[in-house]
Amino acid sequence: MTTQLASASTARTSRPLRVAGAIAHLAALGFLGAFAFTALFGLLGFGLGTLPLLGFGLVLLVAFVYVLFAVAWLETARVDGLYGFGLPALAWRPRVGPGFGGWLRTLLRQAVDPRMWRAIANLAIATVFGVIVMGLFRLLIWSIAICFAPLSGADTVRGAFGLEFAAAWAPLAGILGVIVTAAGIVGLALLHGVLSRAIVVPSQEEQLAAQARTSDAQRAGAVRASEVERTRIERDLHDGVQPRLVSVGMTLGLAQQKIDSDPDAARSLIEEAHTSTKAAITELRQLARGIHASVLDDRGLDAALSALAGRSHIPVHLDVRMDGRCSREAEAAVYFAIAESLTNAAKHSRAAECRVIVRRRDDGMLWARVEDNGIGGARVLPGGGLDGISNRILSAGGTVRLDSPNGGPTALEVSVPCAS
């Protein structure tokens, strides 16, 4: 009961402060918002106007999309900081495919992003409100001044909009003007909050639909990741351990046949089988470690990556900075992504060295970057290692970004929620 009363008291105290903050925001946007839209329309108009000039306008239109996104990001952050809606930061659309074509498709998707345009619409309304608030502030100052007009000794007083009236009525007119303008300013601030919630905050149905899409994508990623992992295990068993065990069986069979007639040859065959058995055990351990590293549970991601870097065929510069542990799923997903990236670098990139950076960020994300100085040209192919990384990270609710131009270098960035 005490906690509820304290919360209610805090809400009552913060409401006037929030209204005052909204008034300050609107007053600032009356100038800054108009400047922002002037710059945006100027950039758009100049880009469209210079489009026939060897495509120079395309550069300006691309810049227009980026500037538009930056303005929308700031507007989303402003509204969330003022009202505490708990909005996620506006994020650039995920890259659609590799190369220039993928970048262009991503840019077009961002240009029609509804959340970005809702933020721009909210800024436009707030800018109009800001211009009105600035006008009301001028009327408020004028009304206060009129209250003291009789002290000047004049018979008549000129009020707002050029109206003239007797000086005896000036205090009453000034007080009414103060009440009306103050009410108008506060009313616009309250209306700004209502409209911001309606425009910027997604509806409950939209939030549920987005959650459903995210859950479907994670489930599909998990299924795909398990299929890729199963295929990899089958391939490793079929190509590595299984032939070696068959060879051990055949060698022991030959030794059994020669054990009476040629003991020395039988002993040599048994030693050969013993060596092959130890190699098979080593391969099985590596295969099991590829499925899940036990040191990851025992000592954490830093120790697991140190062991991974020590086994790498190419030099690895490891930089891990984590404050505490993340969830088992998040650490396992990032470990798998780094392990597969190092394997790909050793097999395909002709890299001389790799650099691995891991951070636990303040926004609750576990972020990692793997970069090599190889030949580049890495692509996500169905069933390949990068496909497995993408699906594994997606199933953990994370994102993947690959940058691998021809000629190198190749950089892979993954980001996973720490509490996934």
Side-chain angles (χ1 to χ4, degrees), residues 1 21 27 86 102 106 113 128-130 134 159 193 200 217 227 284 294 320 331 408:
M1 186 66 171
T106 304
D113 182 23
V128 174
F129 283 3
M134 292 177 66
V200 178
E227 291 178 353
L284 284 174
S294 58
V320 180
E331 292 188 352

Side-chain angles (χ1 to χ4, degrees), residues 201-216:
V201 179
S203 63
Q204 186 175 6
E205 292 78 7
E206 187 175 352
Q207 293 178 9
L208 291 175
Q211 292 175 2
R213 287 193 299 268
T214 302
S215 298
D216 290 342

Side-chain angles (χ1 to χ4, degrees), residues 345 348-352 372-378 404-410:
H348 309 296
S349 72
R350 304 177 193 172
D372 66 61
N373 59 354
I375 60 175
S404 183
N406 291 325
T410 295

Side-chain angles (χ1 to χ4, degrees), residues 66 87 145 149 161 192 221 265 271 300 310:
Y66 278 98
L87 298 172
F161 308 110
H192 172 262
E271 290 176 357

